[in-house]
Amino acid sequence: MSEQQTHAEQRHVVVVGAGMAGVQTAVALREQGFPGRITLIGAEPHQPYDRPPLSKAVLLGKAEGSAFEVDFEGLGVELRLGESVTGVRAREHEIDTAAGPVPYDVLVIASGAEPITLPGISDLPDVHLLRTLDDAGRLRAVLTDQRRIVVVGAGWIGAEFATAAREAGCAVTVVEAAERPLAGALPAEVTEPMAAWYAESGAELLTHARVAALEPGAVLLADGRRLVADAVVVGIGARPTTDWLEDTGIERGREGAITADDRLRTSLPDVYAVGDCASFPSGRYGERLLIHHWDNALQGPRTVAADIVGEAVRPYDPVPYFWSEQFGRFVQYVGHHRGADRLLWRGDPSGAAWTVCWLRDGVLVALLAVGRPRDLAQGRKLIEAGAALDPARAADPSVPLKAAAG
């Protein structure tokens, strides 16, 4: 056995975070031939699980859990669950945990994101977040009782929870401080038809409704209204879980996200960051992207693993993608529309299925599809190829999107 082989087998990769990004990093390392030791550390005591089903099947009692179908023992991955990580000491190549220090040769930070909260909610037993398996379990009991629910925030998670609550027969009011749902994610002309989905489902949507205070059994709005609530669900966004990296020397930027490079390396040697906790520079879009979605947590680990095993690595520059199931509709988004100079509609936004295309200098850069998965699949390939579109043909929903490419 060569000295190089022996060194590789002795290397120890420690992955902090047992969500999608952390699990996929461990899997990708083995798939790409990493022979050394892998330790996966998760703060929750549960077997590592997928999060999207929490707001759907798990929440509605259609599934008990969403554990990853990964044979960690067979892969030779050591699981350390229910263990919080409190810091990194780069000089010693060690992390600090509640159980003591853990040495590493390579560290991968996949600590994810945590919900943004409202002040004082920890003292109120009927105020909930939806991020973890335990959160979903508590909220499933709320839905079973068909209680009156106020949802704070009309973003993606707020809409998905409101959908589940209405399906369970609950009375639902959604309060949004902005003038429309998804105000921080999409332009007004795109979200305008989405506002009607709430009423169609039987949920009440209140916009320009800022929460002034929460009290037992009620939500107080800044305009003086008092909304009776048996339970309150707060869904006002998430931020990278990186406070534990204070004073470690790891550079962070917007919202506390770790500023990784185009191979997902951090500012410290032998330390990578992947998934919701890290931003990366996108050559495709000319800016740094911070993506809190499942597909980014799936793709990034392949780049990290390839770099660790020493393979030639292309810059990490994916076309962002995510989906949401809400109010009987399957909504999919691909690309990044900031910087686009033209918006095209395919279909009637008052109907059941329609698509929005964003162009920049005639090139497709982003697409939102409601009930049109074929548009999404074709649009994703066109964005990856940097394809220009014929606007007239692209705006005709009877023309396959790929046929509108120049």
Side-chain angles (χ1 to χ4, degrees):
M1 184 178 295
S2 70
E3 183 176 338
Q4 185 175 8
Q5 286 176 311
T6 302
H7 175 69
E9 291 178 357
Q10 291 176 344
R11 294 176 79 200
H12 182 198
V13 175
V14 174
V15 183
V16 176
M20 170 61 80
V23 167
Q24 288 302 317
T25 297
V27 170
L29 281 167
R30 290 300 189 225
E31 287 179 342
Q32 298 186 37
F34 178 73
R37 183 180 169 198
I38 301 174
T39 300
L40 181 62
I41 302 176
E44 293 183 56
H46 308 290
Q47 190 75 5
Y49 62 88
D50 203 4
R51 294 189 187 276
L54 298 185
S55 61
K56 305 171 183 71
V58 174
L59 190 61
L60 289 169
K62 298 176 181 178
E64 288 303 312
S66 55
F68 292 112
E69 295 182 0
V70 175
D71 181 1
F72 293 102
E73 184 177 354
L75 288 174
V77 174
E78 177 190 0
L79 282 182
R80 297 177 60 160
L81 303 177
E83 192 169 319
S84 59
V85 179
T86 57
V88 179
R89 287 177 287 114
R91 182 175 298 176
E92 294 84 1
H93 267 53
E94 289 184 341
I95 60 171
D96 292 316
T97 78
V102 178
Y104 67 84
D105 293 300
V106 178
L107 175 65
V108 180
I109 299 172
S111 52
E114 57 194 3
I116 297 171
T117 64
L118 294 173
I121 69 171
S122 59
D123 299 325
L124 299 172
D126 292 322
V127 180
H128 304 266
L129 302 169
L130 179 53
R131 180 65 179 173
T132 69
L133 185 60
D134 290 336
D135 292 337
R138 286 188 288 267
L139 282 167
R140 184 163 64 184
V142 171
L143 299 193
T144 300
D145 292 342
Q146 298 186 332
R147 303 168 78 184
R148 294 168 296 181
I149 298 175
V150 172
V151 180
V152 181
W156 299 111
I157 193 65
E160 290 189 359
F161 180 81
T163 299
R166 286 300 301 140
E167 185 175 335
C170 299
V172 179
T173 300
V174 180
V175 298
E176 170 56 54
E179 75 282 2
R180 54 191 172 85
L182 293 169
L186 296 169
E189 58 193 304
V190 176
T191 60
E192 183 178 357
M194 295 178 173
W197 298 354
Y198 288 79
E200 290 174 11
S201 76
E204 182 180 15
L205 173 64
L206 303 178
T207 56
H208 298 284
R210 186 173 62 83
V211 174
L214 300 176
E215 62 180 34
V219 176
L220 305 181
L221 300 182
D223 61 10
R225 283 179 289 180
R226 184 176 186 274
L227 306 178
V228 176
D230 297 311
V232 177
V233 178
V234 179
I236 54 175
R239 62 179 300 278
T241 306
T242 59
D243 286 348
W244 62 282
L245 295 172
E246 192 74 31
D247 299 324
T248 62
I250 295 178
E251 292 181 3
R252 295 181 294 160
R254 180 167 61 96
E255 300 179 28
I258 299 167
T259 52
D261 67 9
D262 62 6
R263 287 156 59 184
L264 300 179
R265 299 172 300 184
T266 74
S267 56
L268 291 183
D270 304 316
V271 181
Y272 296 78
V274 64
D276 292 0
C277 66
S279 67
F280 59 90
S282 170
R284 186 190 309 275
Y285 292 105
E287 61 181 286
R288 181 169 284 276
L289 298 183
L290 174 60
I291 302 173
H292 287 177
H293 295 296
W294 186 91
D295 194 61
N296 178 52
L298 176 66
Q299 294 195 59
R302 299 167 187 160
T303 294
V304 170
D307 203 59
I308 290 173
V309 302
E311 292 184 1
V313 180
R314 296 174 57 187
Y316 183 64
D317 197 8
V319 174
Y321 167 72
F322 70 89
W323 77 96
S324 176
E325 297 178 52
Q326 50 184 268
F327 308 114
R329 295 166 173 85
F330 188 43
V331 182
Q332 296 172 283
Y333 178 94
V334 65
H336 183 64
H337 66 269
R338 186 182 300 167
D341 52 35
R342 185 168 187 177
L343 183 150
L344 297 175
W345 290 90
R346 285 170 58 81
D348 181 357
S350 65
W354 46 273
T355 295
V356 174
C357 299
W358 285 272
L359 308 181
R360 185 174 62 211
D361 298 327
V363 174
L364 183 67
V365 293
L367 180 147
L368 176 80
V370 177
R372 291 181 66 97
R374 182 173 297 179
D375 277 1
L376 189 288
Q378 295 181 7
R380 188 173 192 172
K381 292 179 180 178
L382 294 172
I383 294 170
E384 289 172 346
L389 296 186
D390 178 329
R393 290 177 63 77
D396 184 345
S398 67
V399 175
L401 195 59
K402 62 182 180 181

